[in-house]
Amino acid sequence: MSYSEPTTKEWIRSLFEPGQLLFWAMTYYVRENVDAVFRRGQVLAPLLQTTKLRDEAFGKFWVAFSTTPSDEPGPQQSLLENRVQGSSDLIPPILARAEGIVLDVGPGTGTQMPLLVSPNIKAIYGAEPCHGLHAELRAKVEAEGLAKKYTILPCSVVASDLIPAMQKEGLLINHNAGGGVFDTIICVRVLCSVPDMNRTIRELYTLLRPGGKLLVTEHVVNPWMTPKGSIVARLFQATYGFLGWSWYLGDCCMNRDTETALKKAADRDGGWESVELDRWFGGSPLPYISGVLTKKGTPFGPWDM
């Protein structure tokens, strides 16, 4: 797919769009605090339950954000025009490569669900720690006819949470060192918010079967020291971080070098079989990497557990 460099007007708009998102998230946090004090009578909640209120506010914000129509052209229109116009356009061609037994990391409200209906997918396990998003996620699963294929795991992808949830579903019965469990692992806009990104990516790597694929579409630190980056956009990233981006937006970090962490995850096995990663939107505070990383080895037969 092709990508046209933005006009000056579009570039300036891209610099301020994350600020609008941050302000929107802030209003939900303020509203949640006001409700706690004046509607529920929890006068000290803003001081004693800060994290709880923040998480509840983010859950409500994310439901609203993910269900609000965008004014940008939809991915289907962009695909027809064979042009990438926004980050959502990067997702369909990547998820089209999902197959076998799939781990969907942080599916949120299930906005990617229509892209996971391929007959090549045997089963999907969605690890979503925010319980406030489960109702919307379950509704999307049912709407797409995936109720028999999709299982919601009420946990994060931190090993101490994920492994017990997987064991409960019987997923580790034949698991062995290096053997892996999943044929495909999907990471779409989630690695920015895991507590320890490097460790999480290494753990996800071990869960891939030989020949398994890690499908990635993630926003990353602006590569401002390269020709594809922008020092202005990097400064905007730092400014949004100072204003509380991570706090109000579910621990999301704008300045992670996700690409390097992904490539290093396979070092113990001599690297990945293949790494197909492209960079996009280098002039924006929300630049992206998108692509597929394939684990060395020969895939196991017809996805037998």
Side-chain angles (χ1 to χ4, degrees), residues 63-81:
V63 169
F65 170 73
S66 60
T67 56
T68 299
S70 172
D71 59 357
E72 293 183 355
Q76 294 302 320
Q77 178 181 338
S78 297
L79 287 173
L80 289 172
E81 297 173 352

Side-chain angles (χ1 to χ4, degrees), residues 263-285:
K263 290 178 178 178
K264 286 185 175 180
D267 280 356
R268 72 177 191 179
D269 293 333
W272 296 88
E273 180 71 29
S274 64
V275 176
E276 308 166 50
L277 288 177
D278 292 321
R279 292 183 181 183
W280 303 87
F281 318 122
S284 163

